Amino acid sequence: MSETIEEITSVMGAERIGNAPARIDWILTDSRSLCFPEETLFFALKTKRNDGHKYIHELYERGVRNFVVSDLPENGEAYVDTNFLKVANPLRALQRLVAKHREQFQIPVVGITGSNGKTIVKEWLYQLLSPERIITRSPRSYNSQIGVPLSVWLLNEHTELGIFEAGISEMGEMEALRPIIQPTIGVLTNIGGAHQENFTSLQDKCMEKLQLFKDCDVIIYNGDNELISSCVAKSLFTAREIAWSMKDTERPLFIESISKDETGTTIKYRYLGFFKEYRIPFIDDASIENSLNCLAVALYLMVSPEVIAERMLRLEPVAMRLEVKEGKNGCVLINDSYNSDFASLDIALDFMARRTEDKGRKRTLILSDILESGQVSKLLYRQVADLVHSRGVDRIIGVGEEISAYASRFEIEKQFFRSTNELLASGVLSGLRNEVVLIKGARVFHFDDITDVLELKVHETILEINLNALTANLNYYRNKLKPETKMVCMVKASAYGAGSFEVAKTLEDQRVDYLAVAVADEGADLRKAGIHCPIIIMDPEVSAFKTMFDYKLEPEVYSFQMLEELIKAAEREGAANVPVHIKVDTGMHRLGFAPSDMPRLAERLHRQSTVIPRSIFSHLVGSDSDRFDPFTRRQIETFEAAAADLQKEFNHKIIRHICNTAGIERYPGAQFDMVRLGLGLYGIDPYTNRILHNVTTLKTTILQIHDVPADETVGYSRKGVLSRDSRIATLPIGYADGLNRRLGNGHAYCLVNGKKAPYVGNICMDVCMIDVTDIDCKEGDKAIIFGDDLPVTVLSDVLETIPYEILTSVSGRVKRIYYQD
Ligand SMILES: *Cc1c(COP(=O)(O)O)cnc(C)c1O
């Protein structure tokens, strides 16, 4: 829905510089997501780490002409036909603009908050309440201070119901989100310990969340939760309450019984004196609770119990993830079965575009009809075609009657099929080669069948990498830094086993200052895959200097001899201005110059002009242990003195860094100009062994289950002696995959359906056996080797080693799957 620049200026109370006419359809806060420059208004947001003002010039070059800024660019006259709207705080201006936008709509709006289940409740409400209502909802989990305004901006003249989620991480934030969402129906899913860092108590957090509901007509929550009930009572809202309860018959929505069986759960309830029931195809407690919240909303909106029951039965699981997988014939598959609406299509296309920036790979989109958008199809598919063109898609494969009818709109290589089966039968899929393929379809189209055909199936054992958790860990450590402190992220050893490209790409997107790898080939691979960010090579080999110059990699320099070789090679290859990083040995006694070498080093560097000292650093020996604190402090002092000795011989600033993960946590005074984050990025706090946000999960599948009598043994050398009649499951993972052989014979366990299953007998090269006698499971069920509920530190403790070793031991033949919510 477009607004004129005049309206926008006045709503935000901005000072307008420039008088170019403009209508705005799109709001942009992340320059990398630009799609429709002419109709875009860019908000130059300042965060602790970054400043949107830096991207104004680049966006102008790409055609953007409307900017909300707090500071005008210096050479303002250079921007022709451009509007700058100057405000004190662009984020607040964005929020104010969208709050005003929201006010135009006199429609019911559901606001959902709580610690878990927000996105599922939102999507299920959508499944339950459409198609009669045209619904606008938050794309994916857009629920932050920026995500909420971007979501609510999507409200348009067709919308009949809005559903938005709101997430907060500190006090005061809900106050900003309430006027943007202005919910009429409030749903509080639950309150748990997630994102607790900035709240003093659960009660504080609950009270803060309830702020969203101050002006609601009705509030929906679990009346059996004492914390929530007491907070609601304290909030003194005048709104009607639908507190559902399984215990208290006085509550407006009384849940009489919940009965689970093999395939689902039947729930009986009483509302307004009527006894009714429904059934869902899920049996876990979280799904039941989510369905109860949805039930309350639907009843309040006067959906009949019969329609509710009919649709509850058809609820679909919500695929929260956008997955990247290896496909056949060199293809990369991006699988997004989240849903098929326009907003999430845009996000998925943006994701694809960023992952193929300059690898020259063909971008193919497999897209189904877009269902239930509430828009006139002609207009809708014109917009889809515009989006597809501007996101640089090279080929579209459309599936469905509707999208096929608008085939002519797409001016790129194209094929259309009336159904998924028709596409599968056509042979088109087996012709895909070395492409990046985005698979995006409404659920009724069963695009899983397409993924099945395209996916490379090598091994049942996979390592899953959660890219959101990676970012959350990065931000956790960033928050411990001074705003000006730079960061190197260590992606050596294939990003501690997680796989370097996707991890590096995610970090580059988060604008970290440097990446570091061990050897030149790792750096070259990242460059070939399209990583631009500066890369430090920690263990440069003399034989690889040419590779380093060719790919603009920055070596560490640790000795005079190595420095001579490097200078010689640089002169021979005609390389100039090669940045290098000087390593000083302050106690590790591994590699590095002695602190006393600095004057001589400075003198040598001045006598040549091919290499330039960019940074100076040292490595801490025992920053993760109190025992070594005096030694660590001495290392820091020695380093500081050596760095000063070198710096005083140069005019340009030489960046200083010494802290690794534990150093960041424990020596905030030793940040100098930069820090090097390693293990913490992957979610492990080396000081406490605590898991921050778990990034990697190693999982596999039960191949076979045997009933083995007590007098038999399991595995090689008859080591697996049984003390009772047992059920023994076989897993396709062995020591060649990185499952350490010393975990066998009951020394450790994996998780099957949440329960501990000990390893029985010796672990073999490619398989192992586990005891599942007491676990309800079947062939094909998953087994977690390590992951969310079984931290990798449990295994490293058993093996008396460090988590680093477990992570980096997962062998290359284990397929990596990356996902983000
Ligand atoms: C690996 C490495 C780091 C990162 O250490 P963590 O303990 O994983 O944070 C930092 N500096 C150097 C020189 C390293 O080799």
Side-chain angles (χ1 to χ4, degrees), residues 650-666:
F650 290 87
N651 293 327
H652 75 276
K653 167 85 188 155
I654 301 174
I655 299 169
R656 297 163 302 164
H657 44 118
I658 192 166
C659 282
N660 56 356
T661 303
I664 300 172
E665 186 87 47
R666 303 195 55 238

Side-chain angles (χ1 to χ4, degrees), residues 428-566:
V428 163
L429 296 177
S430 55
L432 302 180
R433 290 276 182 289
N434 299 316
E435 302 171 34
V436 178
V437 185
L438 171 61
I439 302 157
K440 183 129 184 76
R443 216 170 298 271
V444 292
F445 285 89
H446 296 290
F447 272 16
D448 305 351
D449 298 344
I450 298 178
T451 321
D452 277 350
V453 172
L454 294 176
E455 201 180 336
L456 190 67
K457 289 193 192 66
V458 276
H459 203 32
E460 303 288 342
T461 300
I462 54 173
L463 186 71
E464 285 189 341
I465 293 100
N466 179 343
L467 297 173
N468 292 107
L470 184 83
T471 306
N473 293 326
L474 173 69
N475 289 332
Y476 170 84
Y477 286 99
R478 273 181 165 176
N479 282 331
K480 298 191 175 295
L481 303 181
K482 293 172 288 186
E484 64 278 11
T485 307
K486 294 183 193 302
M487 188 182 273
V488 188
C489 284
M490 309 305 291
V491 295
K492 61 191 180 194
S494 218
Y496 290 49
S500 40
F501 171 68
E502 287 293 335
V503 168
K505 185 68 193 164
T506 304
L507 296 169
E508 184 175 66
D509 271 0
Q510 296 296 324
R511 304 184 199 276
V512 303
D513 302 281
Y514 273 96
L515 298 174
V517 294
V519 297
D521 283 344
E522 289 180 289
D525 287 343
L526 287 178
R527 284 280 183 263
K528 286 181 209 155
I531 299 292
H532 299 290
C533 149
I535 298 176
I536 303 179
I537 307 296
M538 309 300 291
D539 301 309
E541 292 148 334
V542 171
S543 58
F545 284 157
K546 185 168 178 335
T547 309
M548 280 185 260
F549 304 141
D550 289 349
Y551 289 99
K552 293 210 175 325
L553 306 170
E554 307 181 9
E556 157 188 320
V557 172
Y558 52 81
S559 72
F560 286 109
Q561 195 203 338
M562 186 215 159
L563 178 62
E564 294 306 332
E565 304 261 13
L566 180 66

Side-chain angles (χ1 to χ4, degrees), residues 490 492 496 516 538-539 556 583 588 590 617-620 623-624 657-664 675-682 686 804:
M490 309 305 291
K492 61 191 180 194
Y496 290 49
M538 309 300 291
D539 301 309
E556 157 188 320
K583 184 177 223 174
M588 179 77 86
R590 193 168 64 175
F617 73 104
S618 189
H619 198 25
L620 297 173
S623 55
D624 57 355
H657 44 118
I658 192 166
C659 282
N660 56 356
T661 303
I664 300 172
V675 294
R676 300 187 303 274
L677 181 62
L679 194 66
L681 204 46
Y682 308 96
Y804 301 71

